[in-house]
Amino acid sequence: MNWKRRLSSALVAVFSAGWLFPIWLGVWTHLDFWRAEVLPRMDGTLIGNSFPFLDFAKKCFGWGLAWLAAVLALWAYLGFSALLRARSERA
């Protein structure tokens, strides 16, 4: 029985904080774009790279922000329903 509680707690933690990974990946990819593409061009070196850095970073930000919106919506719903339940128990 204890492992079920630990597993559910771990799933809630991953759901609640998991949006940080795609955001971090998007920031890291954007910084790699600057290191691999922009800075060498500022020095006069033309380096061609086939990886779509900015498109991938945009998709990472989109997934991360959508995940964050889902987390906020869920916790807002749970908090509001707990508040309504507490008020109805008092009355």
Side-chain angles (χ1 to χ4, degrees), residues 55-78:
D55 186 49
F56 182 72
K58 178 183 166 185
K59 289 179 183 176
C60 288
F61 286 131
W63 279 104
L65 291 176
W67 193 336
L68 176 61
V71 168
L72 290 176
L74 176 73
W75 285 113
Y77 170 76
L78 292 176

Side-chain angles (χ1 to χ4, degrees), residues 5-54:
R5 177 171 278 174
R6 285 187 185 190
L7 180 63
S8 64
S9 297
L11 289 175
V12 167
V14 166
F15 175 72
S16 296
W19 61 273
L20 289 168
F21 179 72
I23 296 290
W24 170 79
L25 191 60
V27 169
W28 193 258
T29 305
H30 189 75
L31 292 175
D32 277 346
F33 168 74
W34 277 90
R35 283 184 227 128
E37 295 284 332
V38 176
L39 293 179
R41 287 182 189 211
M42 293 176 97
D43 292 338
T45 307
L46 293 177
I47 295 178
N49 197 336
S50 64
F51 185 74
F53 287 100
L54 296 179

